[in-house]
Amino acid sequence: SVNPDLASERQTASFCVEKLTALLDGGAEQTRIRRAVVAAIQSDPVFSRENQYFQTQNERYEAAVRKAVHLQKKMHEMGWTENGPEYKYIYRALSGDVAFLLHRVFMRSISVLGSDKQIAKWIPLATQLRLIGSYAQTELGHGTYLQGLETTAVFDIATQEFILNTPKISAMKWWPGDMGRSATHTVVFAQLYIHGKCYGIHPFIVQIRSLQDHSLCPGITAGDIGPKMNFEAIDNGYLMLKNVRIPRENMLSKFCEVRPDGTYVRQGSQKINYFTMTTVRISLISDEVLIPLMKACTIAIRYSVVRRQSKLKPGEQEAKILDYQTQQEKLLPQLAAAYAFHFINDYLQELFDRGYREIQRKNFDMLPELHALSSGFKAVITHHCTAAVEICLRACGGHGYSLLSGLPSLYTKILASCIYEGENTILLLQTARFLIKCFMAASAGQPVPPSVTYLAAVKPGKCPAKNKSDFLSPDIYTEAYQHVAVRLISSTAAKLQDLIQSGAKKYDAWNQCTVQLVQAAKAHCHYITVKNFAETVEKLETKAGIQRIMKHLCDLFALHGIFSNTGAFLHDGYISAAQMDMVTASYLDLLAVIRKDAVPLVDAFDFTDKSLNSALGSYDGQVYQRLYEWAQKSPTNKMSPAYERYLKPLLHNTLSKL
Amino acid sequence: AAAMTMNADLRRERAAATFQPLLLTHILDGGPERTRRRKEIEALVLNDPDFQHEDLNFLSRSQRYEQAIRKSSLMVMKLREYGIADPEEIFWFKSFVHRGRPEPLDLHLGMFLPTLLTQATPEQQDRFFMPAWNLEIIGTYAQTEMGHGTHLRGLETTATYDPSTQEFILNSPTVTSIKWWPGGLGKTSNHAIVLAQLYTQGQCKGLHAFIVPLRQLGTHEPLPGITVGDIGPKFGYDEMDNGYLKMDNFRIPRENMLMKYAQVEPDGTYVKPVSDKLTYGTMVFIRSLIVGDSARSLSRACTIAIRYSAVRHQSELKPGEPEPQILDYQTQQYKLFPLLATAYAFHFVGAYIKDTYHRISGDINEGDLSELPELHALTAGLKAFTSWTANAGIEECRMACGGHGYSRCSGIPDIYVTFTPSCTYEGENTVMMLQTARFLVKSYTQVSSGQQVTGMVSYLNDLSRQRIQPQHVAARTVTVRINDPVSLVEAYKARAARLVEAAAKNLQAELNHRKSKEDAWNRTSVDLVRASEAHCHYVVVKLFAAKLSEVSNAAVRAVLTDLCLLYALFGISKNTGDFLQAGILTSAQITQVNQHVKELLAVIRPNAVALVDSFDFHDVHLGSVLGRYDGNVYENMFEWAKKSPLNKTQVHESFHKHLKPMQAKL
């Protein structure tokens, strides 16, 4: 039965939960397909995650391999294909707890970077899992800065082979998933040398383990890099290459080729490589970032209406902790952020689909904008959501720290997203470079991409709000965000120019402005997110209360951003001190309004209990019983050898009862 | 690894420092003699073969618990063998043995024994203290329940007195009343001090403490009526068997209630304690320890991140030149140096609270409790303020180490998970901030009614003086000189005054809206927390600035002054809205502050490594491959990884179990 404290929350929803779920899924039909996939996966015992919090790294890895192998079978049984509508829900249904994820990256890199011949040779083998691939780019000494990679591939004309080497310890490949124990092949990124000349980084297919007995190939040293904060199931690996020879045909050669005589030929555009990175950054937002945040919100909010603590009014029952303003102030902005980023993700996906079609028509005009948006939003969203999940964890008091709450593993997993696929600070600086360029162009009256046209219309002024309800007008707050973004971008551009004009070298001036540049890039992304949320709300159907509640969340997201960064808005007096008090008042009022719909708003995310895998966040709210039951399954409750070995000699046992 | 020479980058960094790190270490330790003694104890532990073991990162939770128990038992024996009895020296010893991690006897040593000393009658001490001292009794302190933590009055465990047998009957009447979380309760302890609602003669007398035996001496099996176990895996704390305890009509003799203050007589008559203010003392003490722990944990993370940033080279700053150390990037300095300054600030705050506690303890013993409420309010707030800041700071340090920070070999994940629960235990931080706020509002009300207040809140007295002119408190002009720590203290003071006043006025406005007191308080709580934060921030800046004048060595004072300025200015640049809105600083000044922060980053840069060296963490204690003193990072990462459990066999068994059969079928 459902805990009455949770049940009562559901009776007063101001909107139709099922309608909101459909909106999030992109239609009721999508919801139906997703639920079918989730049901099929979660009813299969092989995919169970029941005891995972108790398992060691070795056990987690083994389970992930078992699931990956079983998944092949399952897909066949269910008739799911990689191009089918079900495919995108499989990962969500598994909660990412499966091996061979890098195998897909291996396949994608061959599809994108390989010649037709190479695709024909490798893709069928990989599809049938006759080999297991990985993707070896990052080294011990280098990550996001790809030009610095040190692995070498020297072309030997005599044998028509490349000789791959790890010349020093910092050149060792380090971190690639699936490489520590599973992979038989990997795409290695190495500096290409022909006749002693370096041609830069290129991808090579290298076999690292025997297809017969899985032993390491000659010249290969590989293994697992050891325990991490999460990803116990994944064998992130290291790889050292010593005079490993591979045939000339193993260099992926859609764009670059080494001819038999050693001639280096580059064809087509290198820009397409950027586009691959760009798409990866966007595609990770949904599965790796938004879902963990939505889960964390679900767990923390449900728990906060079950947990009662202290009294709000003398003589009454202890209050639900969600009734405390400070608890609302922790959780509800995170909930609003989950929705805000969901909608910006839709916007980005759409933009990228359009970009992809253009690129296929050999029109690369959108690339710089797409690149800048993907970098900036990847950084802003991963950073924001990581912080948000941690807030959810800490909002659950002591029980949040139990692994059984599900929150620690959500947190340790999402925080990796701030680093992989490009370290966030570096990505923000890439966005900033684009913004400065566009600002200069706009100032000179040149055309700029659509997302930054606002930079051309710099209009100084003051916020026109007269009372606190004015701050519930999207025009008012969107303008404020725009104003701050323009101010930060233009003042940083001016600072850069000043420094250069006073004799600083360009790179020096850039480094001296990087702190400001990062702030400018964040302000830009924040503005676009708010604007997009407001525009999305306007287009929603007014039926079933959906638009009204989304409007509240949009207001909350926007006002929370101002409330927690007041200085940026006060700085040039755009918002006055008196107006800032109105912002605060309006913001705090909204918390109480959204409080009433908090549980329905997380119910709409529609996670099954198995997906959440949380003793605190289950749909029925039977928190304490579940916590107690689960704890008893802990292996530490089997008799530990510690007693016989250490405690017994310690306890002198001279007395039998005190 | 011992034969390796020091990494050239780190050698250069150390040679370029403008001060002697050892002098700064002395200041942090409280004098050269304390440093010498600390290192002596450190050597005693680290050279002892009994305390060696495999890298804990590669052990399962059960194995880690077992190692911890093994070391703890040895530790207790050796402490006595060496005659180490000073609390601080015990703390060092323990911290070296367990490398800053929790251990299963923590609650026995830190709570069970002290509680016996302070709350047991002489007779009870005779019965329990020596057996506990000799570890025949291992005890824990069972307060928190599944359903209640910081809000103690809500605890549900009952102890009902039965005069016919002169026993208390202990019960866990609901699932939520199960004791949950106490350290050492799951597997280690055979006794617990249990907090329960006392019922006698049909009346509830509130929370009291009872000594409850849990396990059979000899077999260590739970006693009939006792259900006890481990609560399962957590975010860190692998060494600790945090436990649950359910009691079912479990009877203990009347003499097992701790009766130094409150008493139940044989016939069931309840005798009230004289004063309940005394229990404040322990709380103040433990919260002051957390402030020190915030400083230490953040210092460790800074040491790792800054050394690694001096060793790691990446990308290019100038075209054509070799890759620079990542510590040369402004963004990296901006992430790390303010945290370094914060770590120093918190060290000084921790030392201040410790001293104040000892001073006031003296007064308490002489019956003077006048300073206790302020100290209580201050430590509650500073516990929350420093643990929140350090918690976020540790994460930033980890992020600043890029991907490798995420590996457990960096040591930062471990520091984080060990530290982060302190935001919750010993008083949930938001609740702590609200306690401080209550004191601030009270002081404000006092000032408004014409009374003076003393101590750290005395700045509120200025408010009444200003009220004579019809002027908003914040509107007064503070001439802020951004190069002068003393002047910055004034700016923080003005901000705190403004936010306390705003919160108090908002609270009053809510009260005027005919709302209940509790409701009004709740509707103002976001403002109240902000006011407390501003107050604590002011205290930290003030204490840091005050410390500077105590430093005699000019070179050390210079570098600490840079850090103090950075701490104060960075805090302004992160909270510009407060200073702008209150008119304490103008936009032009804010721009100067931002600029000066960046200049200070460049000033501190040459001393960064020396500043973390001054924390003087031994490599073994630091437990980080990235933060090694010699900087030989990459070689040692490889050595470390080879020991990973997944690498035990060349071909993992999963290959034979899953991969091979599948490939055979295809």
Side-chain angles (χ1 to χ4, degrees):
Chain A
S1 67
V2 175
N3 182 317
D5 280 338
L6 199 44
S8 64
E9 299 282 338
R10 293 183 172 123
Q11 280 156 11
T12 52
S14 78
F15 64 94
C16 171
V17 173
E18 187 64 20
K19 280 245 157 71
L20 184 52
T21 302
L23 173 70
L24 290 170
D25 280 323
E29 175 60 10
Q30 291 297 312
T31 303
R32 193 192 58 74
I33 296 170
R34 176 176 56 74
R35 285 179 180 158
V37 171
V38 169
I41 297 258
Q42 293 183 349
S43 62
D44 186 330
V46 178
F47 296 120
S48 164
R49 299 195 298 142
E50 195 185 328
N51 287 315
Q52 77 173 32
Y53 298 129
F54 305 128
Q55 290 172 336
T56 64
Q57 195 189 359
N58 262 322
E59 290 163 340
R60 291 289 300 274
Y61 167 67
E62 192 193 319
V65 171
R66 188 174 66 233
K67 288 180 192 178
V69 169
H70 187 66
L71 182 60
Q72 289 282 111
K73 214 175 104 194
K74 191 84 187 175
M75 286 183 61
H76 185 74
E77 260 172 45
M78 302 295 298
W80 299 336
T81 64
E82 302 215 1
N83 304 316
E86 296 88 0
Y87 190 69
K88 65 176 170 182
Y89 299 121
I90 294 174
Y91 185 78
R92 169 170 169 155
L94 290 164
S95 292
D97 212 29
V98 62
F100 308 160
L101 298 175
L102 266 285
H103 183 70
R104 308 203 179 285
V105 181
F106 172 83
M107 287 173 65
R108 179 157 38 178
S109 56
I110 293 174
S111 310
V112 176
L113 304 173
S115 65
D116 293 345
K117 218 169 136 189
Q118 288 169 325
I119 292 172
K121 175 179 174 186
W122 295 99
I123 294 297
L125 291 169
T127 309
Q128 295 170 39
L129 279 183
R130 283 182 177 271
L131 54 85
I132 297 162
S134 175
Y135 181 86
Q137 179 175 299
T138 301
E139 296 173 358
L140 249 184
H142 287 90
T144 306
Y145 178 65
L146 295 184
Q147 290 118 288
L149 296 177
E150 298 172 291
T151 304
T152 58
V154 178
F155 186 57
D156 179 357
I157 297 184
T159 61
Q160 294 286 301
E161 290 171 319
F162 294 105
I163 310 166
L164 279 93
N165 268 299
T166 303
K168 55 207 259 205
I169 194 131
S170 57
M172 197 174 353
K173 294 295 176 189
W174 199 271
W175 282 109
D178 295 333
M179 197 172 77
R181 300 275 86 188
S182 306
T184 60
H185 289 68
T186 183
V187 172
V188 170
F189 282 78
Q191 303 283 0
L192 168 64
Y193 285 86
I194 310 169
H195 296 308
K197 189 179 165 202
C198 181
Y199 288 85
I201 290 294
H202 289 76
F204 303 85
I205 299 178
V206 180
Q207 180 169 0
I208 60 172
R209 286 190 177 88
S210 154
L211 288 170
Q212 298 308 310
D213 62 5
H214 218 239
S215 63
L216 291 171
C217 294
I220 300 285
T221 306
D224 175 84
I225 63 161
K228 302 137 290 187
M229 286 191 91
N230 196 317
F231 296 93
E232 294 93 339
I234 307 295
D235 53 322
N236 296 83
Y238 59 77
L239 171 68
M240 240 195 315
L241 302 146
K242 196 171 173 202
N243 290 323
V244 173
R245 290 178 167 265
I246 56 167
R248 189 180 62 91
E249 294 76 20
N250 277 22
M251 178 171 125
L252 291 177
S253 56
K254 183 168 195 164
F255 301 107
C256 305
E257 195 188 353
V258 177
R259 299 247 164 94
D261 64 353
T263 319
Y264 176 80
V265 191
R266 163 169 288 170
Q267 330 167 319
S269 165
Q270 266 238 315
K271 283 178 182 168
I272 190 77
N273 286 344
Y274 281 120
F275 192 68
T276 317
M277 276 202 295
T278 303
T279 49
V280 173
R281 278 174 197 153
I282 292 305
S283 64
L284 71 87
I285 291 174
S286 165
D287 281 343
E288 304 295 346
V289 187
L290 292 181
I291 287 184
L293 175 58
M294 290 170 172
K295 284 183 178 176
C297 286
T298 306
I299 295 167
I301 287 177
R302 285 183 184 162
Y303 176 64
S304 295
V305 299
V306 170
R307 178 88 170 172
R308 288 177 175 272
Q309 206 74 182
S310 197
K311 288 176 185 176
L312 265 176
K313 286 176 192 140
E316 281 194 3
Q317 196 187 2
E318 289 185 76
K320 294 176 175 180
I321 58 174
L322 196 59
D323 288 328
Y324 290 94
Q325 190 187 49
T326 46
Q327 186 76 355
Q328 294 166 8
E329 214 266 319
K330 285 174 194 173
L331 295 177
L332 301 183
Q334 317 317 324
L335 179 62
Y339 279 94
F341 293 137
H342 172 84
F343 292 124
I344 198 71
N345 185 47
D346 283 351
Y347 162 86
L348 292 169
Q349 293 292 354
E350 207 173 295
L351 204 63
F352 274 73
D353 292 344
R354 189 143 42 87
Y356 188 68
R357 288 194 298 273
E358 288 301 315
I359 283 161
Q360 292 200 311
R361 275 189 251 143
K362 302 277 176 211
N363 172 8
F364 297 107
D365 290 352
M366 277 177 80
L367 260 179
E369 186 188 21
L370 292 178
H371 183 66
L373 281 172
S374 73
S375 305
F377 275 105
K378 184 267 179 186
V380 165
I381 297 174
T382 56
H383 176 82
H384 199 115
C385 294
T386 298
V389 171
E390 206 210 1
I391 290 171
C392 292
L393 188 159
R394 281 197 278 131
C396 291
H399 296 326
Y401 295 105
S402 169
L403 291 197
L404 308 181
S405 76
L407 291 165
S409 44
L410 286 172
Y411 176 62
T412 50
K413 196 164 183 193
I414 193 176
L415 61 81
S417 68
C418 294
I419 311 259
Y420 60 61
E421 300 304 335
E423 196 276 331
N424 278 354
T425 303
I426 298 173
L427 294 185
L428 285 167
L429 288 172
Q430 289 179 5
T431 305
R433 208 176 275 279
F434 167 81
L435 292 173
I436 295 289
K437 225 178 183 173
C438 292
F439 177 77
M440 303 302 248
S443 309
Q446 290 158 6
V448 290
S451 63
V452 284
T453 45
Y454 74 96
L455 291 174
V458 190
K459 35 181 190 271
K462 303 274 176 209
C463 173
K466 300 225 161 28
N467 52 52
K468 71 175 182 178
S469 61
D470 287 347
F471 279 102
L472 300 179
S473 152
D475 288 345
I476 297 273
Y477 55 68
T478 308
E479 285 272 316
Y481 273 95
Q482 187 191 83
H483 180 85
V484 168
V486 172
R487 179 175 68 74
L488 287 171
I489 294 164
S490 63
S491 69
T492 314
K495 178 84 191 289
L496 264 175
Q497 273 196 319
D498 276 0
L499 284 168
I500 292 167
Q501 269 164 15
S502 60
K505 294 260 191 294
K506 234 175 157 173
Y507 54 79
D508 240 357
W510 182 262
N511 191 30
Q512 282 182 50
C513 291
T514 44
V515 167
Q516 268 169 280
L517 287 161
V518 166
Q519 281 160 358
K522 283 183 186 166
H524 168 72
C525 294
H526 210 153
Y527 160 57
I528 304 277
T529 309
V530 169
K531 180 166 161 260
N532 177 67
F533 200 166
E535 284 168 0
T536 306
V537 168
E538 205 155 297
K539 284 180 262 166
L540 289 175
E541 55 173 337
T542 49
K543 276 182 300 189
I546 302 284
Q547 192 188 43
R548 189 177 50 228
I549 186 68
M550 288 298 114
K551 165 75 168 56
H552 289 322
L553 284 177
C554 178
D555 294 346
L556 184 73
F557 179 77
L559 296 187
H560 176 257
I562 300 176
F563 173 78
S564 33
N565 195 14
T566 52
F569 295 85
L570 288 163
H571 189 86
D572 59 352
Y574 182 81
I575 289 184
S576 70
Q579 284 173 325
M580 196 52 85
D581 285 338
M582 297 171 197
V583 169
T584 306
S586 230
Y587 164 65
L588 294 177
D589 288 349
L590 272 171
L591 293 177
V593 173
I594 293 167
R595 156 69 187 89
K596 297 185 196 120
D597 279 318
V599 169
L601 280 167
V602 297
D603 282 352
F605 296 142
D606 200 26
F607 291 110
T608 61
D609 284 354
K610 283 181 176 165
S611 289
L612 293 172
N613 207 14
S614 163
L616 303 188
S618 295
Y619 188 82
D620 66 8
Q622 301 297 350
V623 167
Y624 298 115
Q625 289 82 343
R626 200 166 273 113
L627 205 50
Y628 188 40
E629 273 166 38
W630 288 15
Q632 291 175 71
K633 291 192 279 183
S634 172
T636 42
N637 282 325
K638 293 173 195 123
M639 199 58 188
S640 149
Y643 174 68
E644 283 298 323
R645 276 187 216 158
Y646 306 109
L647 285 178
K648 204 169 172 181
L650 196 64
L651 302 161
H652 293 218
N653 303 322
T654 46
L655 303 162
S656 60
K657 187 166 163 86
L658 289 159
Chain B
M4 281 183 188
T5 53
M6 192 191 293
N7 170 292
D9 287 314
L10 280 186
R11 193 168 345 112
R12 237 187 338 268
E13 296 287 339
R14 287 174 177 135
T18 63
F19 72 101
Q20 277 186 57
L22 184 63
L23 295 178
L24 189 44
T25 306
H26 291 160
I27 293 175
L28 293 171
D29 280 325
E33 173 53 26
R34 299 306 291 157
T35 302
R36 189 199 59 77
R37 181 62 180 150
R38 176 176 56 78
K39 294 188 89 74
E40 191 172 66
I41 290 174
E42 182 179 87
L44 216 52
V45 174
L46 298 183
N47 297 331
D48 188 336
D50 281 349
F51 292 128
Q52 311 301 316
H53 49 76
E54 197 183 335
D55 190 319
L56 296 174
N57 286 304
F58 303 129
L59 301 183
S60 72
R61 205 185 140 220
S62 280
Q63 290 167 320
R64 284 175 76 153
Y65 168 67
E66 195 182 323
Q67 280 298 339
I69 274 282
R70 184 183 69 79
K71 288 196 292 181
S72 292
S73 353
L74 287 167
M75 176 183 81
V76 171
M77 285 192 280
K78 293 194 185 211
L79 276 170
R80 289 171 198 175
E81 188 185 316
Y82 298 136
I84 296 174
D86 174 69
E88 190 168 16
E89 294 187 3
I90 293 176
F91 174 81
W92 286 336
F93 195 93
K94 188 175 101 64
S95 154
F96 298 136
V97 169
H98 291 284
R99 296 159 198 193
R101 290 191 177 85
E103 52 105 0
L105 294 186
D106 271 348
L107 275 278
H108 177 74
L109 301 172
M111 287 299 287
F112 190 78
L113 288 174
T115 307
L116 284 181
L117 282 177
T118 53
Q119 294 187 42
T121 62
E123 296 78 15
Q124 288 175 325
Q125 297 208 9
D126 284 348
R127 276 169 64 215
F128 294 107
F129 191 79
M130 280 323 285
W133 179 253
N134 291 329
L135 293 177
E136 288 157 26
I137 289 178
I138 298 177
T140 179
Y141 190 82
Q143 175 175 298
T144 301
E145 295 173 0
M146 216 190 285
H148 286 92
T150 306
H151 178 62
L152 293 182
R153 272 166 299 163
L155 295 177
E156 300 172 275
T157 302
T158 58
T160 309
Y161 185 63
D162 176 359
S164 66
T165 60
Q166 302 212 7
E167 288 173 320
F168 291 104
I169 309 164
L170 283 116
N171 269 301
S172 309
T174 58
V175 177
T176 46
S177 74
I178 297 174
K179 294 289 175 189
W180 200 268
W181 280 110
L185 174 64
K187 298 278 122 182
T188 312
S189 301
N190 53 22
H191 281 68
I193 290 175
V194 169
L195 270 85
Q197 304 285 356
L198 166 64
Y199 284 86
T200 181
Q201 299 176 335
Q203 279 186 314
C204 180
K205 299 290 180 187
L207 276 191
H208 289 76
F210 303 85
I211 300 178
V212 179
L214 305 174
R215 290 174 182 270
Q216 188 70 50
L217 298 179
T219 63
H220 209 57
E221 291 292 332
L223 295 165
I226 296 286
T227 308
V228 67
D230 176 85
I231 64 162
K234 297 141 299 188
F235 202 25
Y237 271 59
D238 281 353
E239 289 79 8
M240 185 67 100
D241 54 323
N242 297 83
Y244 57 77
L245 167 65
K246 190 167 171 293
M247 291 170 296
D248 190 13
N249 285 321
F250 189 75
R251 288 177 171 262
I252 55 170
R254 185 183 67 91
E255 296 80 11
N256 276 26
M257 174 174 143
L258 288 175
M259 293 210 258
K260 185 165 176 183
Y261 301 111
Q263 285 161 22
V264 172
E265 291 176 350
D267 67 349
T269 308
Y270 177 73
V271 184
K272 263 209 304 209
V274 191
S275 160
D276 53 359
K277 268 193 182 163
L278 289 161
T279 47
Y280 274 5
T282 329
M283 282 199 280
V284 168
F285 177 67
I286 292 178
R287 286 172 194 162
S288 78
L289 290 183
I290 294 175
V291 176
D293 199 31
S294 302
R296 270 185 304 277
S297 301
L298 184 56
S299 305
R300 287 172 73 185
C302 284
T303 304
I304 295 165
I306 288 180
R307 284 185 185 156
Y308 176 64
S309 298
V311 170
R312 176 93 170 170
H313 289 253
Q314 205 73 184
S315 194
E316 57 181 24
L317 265 174
K318 300 178 197 181
E321 290 208 357
E323 295 180 84
Q325 293 161 286
I326 58 174
L327 200 56
D328 286 334
Y329 289 95
Q330 189 188 56
T331 45
Q332 189 76 352
Q333 295 169 3
Y334 191 71
K335 285 177 197 170
L336 295 176
F337 294 169
L339 295 173
L340 178 63
T342 305
Y344 273 94
F346 290 178
H347 268 290
F348 300 134
V349 174
Y352 168 85
I353 296 188
K354 203 172 73 182
D355 292 347
T356 313
Y357 171 73
H358 287 307
R359 182 172 58 77
I360 295 184
S361 295
D363 296 344
I364 294 171
N365 288 339
E366 282 158 32
D368 175 8
L369 302 178
S370 59
E371 282 189 78
L372 206 50
E374 188 196 349
L375 185 65
H376 182 246
L378 187 63
T379 44
L382 285 173
K383 178 262 178 186
F385 183 78
T386 58
S387 62
W388 265 338
T389 311
N391 184 70
I394 294 164
E395 279 298 75
E396 262 203 78
C397 287
R398 187 185 54 68
M399 297 278 218
C401 294
H404 296 332
Y406 194 76
S407 165
R408 299 250 292 267
C409 80
S410 77
I412 306 184
D414 213 37
I415 296 173
Y416 176 72
V417 296
T418 303
F419 180 74
T420 189
S422 59
C423 293
T424 305
Y425 62 56
E426 299 304 335
E428 199 278 327
N429 276 357
T430 302
V431 180
M432 293 298 97
M433 281 299 190
L434 288 171
Q435 285 187 7
T436 303
R438 210 173 276 280
F439 179 77
L440 293 172
V441 169
K442 210 169 135 191
S443 303
Y444 175 83
T445 314
Q446 235 172 302
V447 169
S448 307
S449 64
Q451 283 172 276
Q452 292 277 301
V453 290
T454 56
M456 286 289 185
V457 286
S458 54
Y459 60 85
L460 293 172
N461 293 330
D462 300 349
L463 293 173
S464 64
R465 235 170 288 142
Q466 266 163 14
R467 196 152 290 107
I468 301 166
Q469 297 109 28
Q471 192 184 23
H472 194 271
V473 53
R476 69 182 163 157
T477 29
V478 187
T479 327
V480 180
R481 298 176 306 279
I482 63 164
N483 266 318
D484 177 6
V486 177
S487 177
L488 294 173
V489 173
E490 292 302 311
Y492 274 90
K493 193 190 266 188
R495 168 186 178 232
R498 189 259 166 191
L499 288 175
V500 171
E501 178 170 61
K505 284 187 169 165
N506 288 347
L507 180 63
Q508 193 52 50
E510 290 288 345
L511 282 168
N512 296 344
H513 279 84
R514 80 229 166 299
K515 290 203 180 85
S516 81
K517 239 166 131 182
E518 290 77 6
D519 214 13
W521 181 263
N522 186 30
R523 283 169 173 271
T524 323
S525 53
V526 169
D527 294 330
L528 290 163
V529 170
R530 279 177 80 189
S532 287
E533 281 177 334
H535 174 70
C536 293
H537 209 157
Y538 151 69
V539 171
V540 176
V541 173
K542 179 186 158 82
L543 293 175
F544 199 164
K547 186 77 195 171
L548 299 176
S549 58
E550 295 172 24
V551 179
S552 54
N553 181 284
V556 174
R557 192 171 56 243
V559 72
L560 281 180
T561 305
D562 293 336
L563 286 177
C564 180
L565 280 171
L566 180 64
Y567 180 75
L569 293 174
F570 183 78
I572 294 175
S573 79
K574 283 279 141 184
N575 296 285
T576 53
D578 291 349
F579 292 90
L580 284 168
Q581 197 177 0
I584 302 163
L585 293 169
T586 63
S587 299
Q589 282 176 310
I590 294 290
T591 306
Q592 283 171 26
V593 166
N594 290 336
Q595 182 56 31
H596 199 41
V597 165
K598 288 186 265 176
E599 286 161 14
L600 280 167
L601 298 178
V603 171
I604 291 166
R605 168 68 186 86
N607 280 322
V609 169
L611 280 166
V612 297
D613 285 349
S614 302
F615 292 136
D616 198 26
F617 290 110
H618 192 285
D619 274 351
V620 174
H621 189 49
L622 205 54
S624 165
V625 179
L626 301 190
R628 294 168 60 93
Y629 185 81
D630 70 8
N632 292 313
V633 169
Y634 296 130
E635 301 82 343
N636 285 289
M637 276 182 80
F638 188 33
E639 291 306 311
W640 182 87
K642 285 182 197 163
K643 297 180 213 147
S644 168
L646 250 64
N647 289 331
K648 284 267 155 67
T649 54
Q650 192 54 256
V651 175
H652 195 271
E653 56 180 343
S654 291
F655 172 73
H656 301 290
K657 272 196 193 162
H658 306 293
L659 292 178
K660 205 170 166 121
M662 170 199 67
Q663 287 170 338
K665 273 187 228 152
L666 285 167

